Every structure is written in C-alpha cells, then in structure tokens.
Amino acid sequence: MINENDYTILILGCYKYMDAARASFFLFKKFWPEAIDSVVFGTDKKPIDLNDFFENVVVVSDDAYSERVRFSLDRIKTKYVILLLDDYFLSKPIDSSKVESLITTMKENQVNYFKLIGLPKSFRGFKPYNGTYLIKSNTHYGISLQPSIWEVNFLKKACKDSADSAWKFETNLAKLQKEKTFKGIQYNTNFLAIKNGILKGKLFPSTNKFLQECGYSPLDRDTISFFSAIKFHISQKSISYIPNKVRFFLKKIARLFGKTFYTHN
C-alpha cells in the first residue's frame, strides 16, 4: 500500500454492488494497470471469490459507511488518497505521470482536496496549475465522493461523525468545506474519464454496451429508461447552480409533500 508517489487509490464499494466492483476492477486493469498495486478496496462484506477478482488488493470491511472509510484510511500509509467508487468506471487510459503532477501541486500549495470532475464548474482560476480552479467554501456540492484526491488526514475528519450510507457521508464531507483550513481545487472536466454506470441499483442505458465494447460481459441488472437517464443528468447539473437560498426554499416546499433530504439546503 505504500508507494514512492505518496498516494493510494481507495475504491469504495459494498456487497450488493459486487458485480459492478468486478467490472470496475476489470476496467482498472485495462486502463490503469501500472497503478494496480496502489489499490485498496473497501467493502462491507467479503465474498468468497473476491480474491480471484481483486489480485493485489487489500480488502477492508465494516458496517457503517463512515467506519468503512475510516477503517480503510487507517490502513493507508500514504499522505494522499485517490477516492473512487465501485460503480464509477474508468473509460480511457490513465497517464500516471499526470496524476502524480497533481499530487505534487497539492503538496506545494497545501491543497486538501482536488476534485477530478467539474460539477459544478468553478470560474476562479488556480494560477499555480493551468486548467484548474479554486472551490469556494459556499459552493453547493463542492466536495463529494466523486473522483477526487484527498489529503488523508483531512478526509479522516469526515469519519468522526457516524454515517450509515454514502449520502450521509457526503453530508459530513460538506462540513469540511466550511473549515478555515480547507483549500480545494478542481478541474472543470472529467479528468479520469469516469463513466457513472449505475443509478439506485439500476444500470444506465449505455452501461452494458460500454462494458461489452471493453471486452466485459453485460451486468445482470435492470436498466433505467432513457428518459430517466436524461432527467438525472439534467437535474444533476442544473441543481448545482441553484443559489443556496432558492434551494433551501424549494426543499422546504418539497417537505410539505413528504419529500426527505439529508441536509436543509
């Protein structure tokens, strides 16, 4: 788990998504093979055949999501961790040298968090590294479980508050964004060419076609409709740009009709 580049890759998953995790690791070996030895896989339950699919991967497990993350981080000896999810698939070859340059930038500029996908986009340029932008402390969904690089000790702070799901854990992450010591930067593009394969347990319409094109067998899961996929992508992008006060008001109205949210805003 220790490597000379001072980063570990942590893939977070769960037992009920093991089919996605196996596909994810197949794609990892295809598109980023030189980084295999730097991977830690965190899950809540270990299938009997897991080692057949995850060669050279350390498996850690616990019940609560926050404990699973903390348990994983405690076994990481590097200063930085690249955080991925089991159903976020790599889709293009990764250049390790470019990733390592990001780690160097974080070290030299005391950056806690590097977001590798631009959602929402930021417009305040980060001059020390061309093509990157500063994340404001009040940016909605500024930090998340989306593909990212973390200073390990900073990420551990989010594990102090118990969270039994990924969504609740993201609420804990949002608290870090308000800290005075927080310094986050991001790309406005999908740096790792991540493809989101599953939504609420169901496949996106293009997931199995993509897996087959990469030489992997289709996953045996239901597929959401094309309309649902479009609706999700539009709402995911648009809600990020709604002002906090407006979003708070809309959630207040939605609660009157029985809708629940993890946060007030």
Side-chain angles (χ1 to χ4, degrees):
M1 284 184 288
I2 302 174
N3 61 61
E4 61 184 10
N5 300 317
D6 203 21
Y7 69 85
T8 302
I9 300 164
L10 174 59
I11 301 177
L12 296 171
C14 60
Y15 183 76
K16 65 180 181 180
Y17 273 50
M18 283 308 304
D19 56 339
R22 294 184 181 106
S24 180
F25 199 70
F26 170 85
L27 295 168
F28 198 101
K29 290 193 290 186
K30 180 181 180 69
F31 293 122
W32 202 359
E34 66 269 27
I36 290 294
D37 291 339
S38 299
V39 172
V40 171
F41 181 73
T43 184
D44 57 346
K45 186 177 179 181
K46 180 179 179 180
I48 296 175
D49 66 346
L50 188 62
N51 290 334
D52 295 335
F53 291 89
F54 295 88
E55 299 174 7
N56 302 317
V57 176
V58 176
V59 179
V60 291
S61 59
D62 216 299
D63 294 330
Y65 201 88
S66 55
E67 284 301 300
R68 200 181 317 157
V69 177
R70 182 196 60 77
F71 192 77
S72 302
L73 293 177
D74 284 346
R75 280 143 187 80
I76 290 175
K77 305 302 180 184
T78 54
K79 185 176 180 180
Y80 298 92
V81 59
I82 298 176
L83 195 62
L84 303 176
L85 299 180
D86 54 354
D87 60 339
Y88 277 28
F89 303 144
L90 298 180
S91 63
K92 294 181 180 179
I94 304 301
D95 185 345
S96 290
S97 65
K98 292 184 178 179
V99 175
E100 290 157 15
S101 70
L102 303 186
I103 302 292
T104 299
T105 297
M106 293 180 73
K107 288 181 180 179
E108 293 177 346
N109 297 277
Q110 292 78 52
V111 172
N112 313 112
Y113 171 76
F114 202 135
K115 193 171 189 176
L116 301 178
I117 186 167
L119 182 66
K121 295 187 185 303
S122 179
F123 300 98
R124 184 181 175 188
F126 181 64
K127 294 182 179 179
Y129 201 90
N130 186 41
T132 61
Y133 300 83
L134 281 170
I135 299 174
K136 297 180 179 179
S137 62
N138 63 346
T139 301
H140 175 59
Y141 216 57
I143 59 178
S144 64
L145 290 177
Q146 296 180 53
S148 54
I149 308 174
W150 290 84
E151 183 182 25
V152 171
N153 288 336
F154 195 73
L155 179 57
K156 282 183 177 180
K157 293 181 181 180
C159 302
K160 294 180 180 179
D161 296 326
S162 180
D164 57 8
S165 70
W167 294 109
K168 289 184 179 179
F169 188 73
E170 285 204 342
T171 300
N172 296 342
L173 293 180
K175 296 176 184 178
L176 300 182
Q177 194 175 336
K178 306 297 181 182
E179 292 194 3
K180 292 181 179 180
T181 56
F182 172 74
K183 188 173 184 180
I185 59 177
Q186 72 172 54
Y187 272 103
N188 278 347
T189 58
N190 187 350
F191 179 79
L192 291 179
I194 291 292
K195 183 178 180 64
N196 191 349
I198 298 177
L199 176 65
K200 296 181 179 180
K202 295 184 178 181
L203 303 176
F204 280 97
S206 62
T207 298
N208 273 337
K209 180 181 179 181
F210 163 70
L211 291 176
Q212 288 179 292
E213 290 174 349
C214 292
Y216 194 81
S217 301
L219 300 183
D220 185 18
R221 283 178 177 264
D222 292 336
T223 302
I224 64 174
S225 67
F226 180 75
F227 173 78
S228 295
I230 294 296
K231 180 181 177 182
F232 168 77
H233 288 302
I234 291 176
S235 62
Q236 185 185 45
K237 290 183 179 180
S238 61
I239 197 170
S240 300
Y241 296 97
I242 297 176
N244 287 336
K245 291 182 179 180
V246 175
R247 188 165 53 251
F248 178 82
F249 176 75
L250 292 175
K251 283 188 174 182
K252 189 174 182 179
I253 296 298
R255 286 190 182 91
L256 296 177
F257 294 90
K259 183 72 174 178
T260 59
F261 301 94
Y262 286 113
T263 63
H264 288 294
N265 58 1

